[in-house]
Amino acid sequence: QVQLVESGGGWVQPGGSLRLSCAASGETLDYYAMAWFRQAPGKEREGVSCSSYRDGSTYYADSVQGRFTISRDNAKNTVYLQMNSLKPEDTAVYYCAASGIKCSWYAQGYEYWGQGTQVTVSS
């Protein structure tokens, strides 16, 4: 079992930055693909970014490419999402998720989820 706890959300003005953290316990994340999803009110949960454990590849949704960066610190068993140049449309609850298989853009591909952290981008 893997327990995931997100932190780092909050309110920021457009153009600002936030760094989300996802701390894991129960098992090492060394053999898990780690992803960030987000869900805005009235919308479906969507994949934002993923970090593969197999070859270190990272993947980004087109909407965040060039602005967000996913990284992991295996020593701390933590995954991060650095979010720069934030836009109002980035407002959502952000979730981290773990898959013992591979990165996927589908929520069904992940066995473990955190509780989410709210990110609000507005002036």
Side-chain angles (χ1 to χ4, degrees):
Q1 287 280 351
V2 178
Q3 292 80 43
L4 302 173
V5 178
E6 302 97 335
S7 62
W11 173 83
V12 64
Q13 291 186 336
S17 298
L18 283 175
R19 188 177 80 156
L20 305 183
S21 299
C22 173
S25 60
E27 292 186 32
T28 176
L29 296 182
D30 290 3
Y31 302 105
Y32 283 89
M34 296 301 299
W36 287 94
F37 281 73
R38 66 186 181 186
Q39 188 166 20
K43 295 188 176 182
E44 292 187 358
R45 193 169 297 192
E46 64 171 351
V48 174
S49 182
C50 188
S51 168
S52 171
Y53 75 88
R54 295 176 184 271
D55 59 5
S57 296
T58 56
Y59 306 92
Y60 298 94
D62 289 344
S63 59
V64 306
Q65 180 75 45
R67 299 188 298 122
F68 290 11
T69 303
I70 190 170
S71 62
R72 60 168 77 197
D73 185 335
N74 288 341
K76 295 183 178 180
N77 222 28
T78 300
V79 178
Y80 303 98
L81 185 69
Q82 177 67 44
M83 306 186 295
N84 298 328
S85 302
L86 282 160
K87 304 175 181 180
E89 51 263 44
D90 295 318
T91 295
V93 177
Y94 283 71
Y95 300 88
C96 70
S99 168
I101 301 176
K102 63 178 181 179
C103 281
S104 171
W105 292 116
Y106 300 99
Q108 298 92 322
Y110 295 83
E111 302 97 287
Y112 303 106
W113 290 84
Q115 83 290 348
T117 185
Q118 176 71 46
V119 171
T120 302
V121 185
S122 73
S123 53

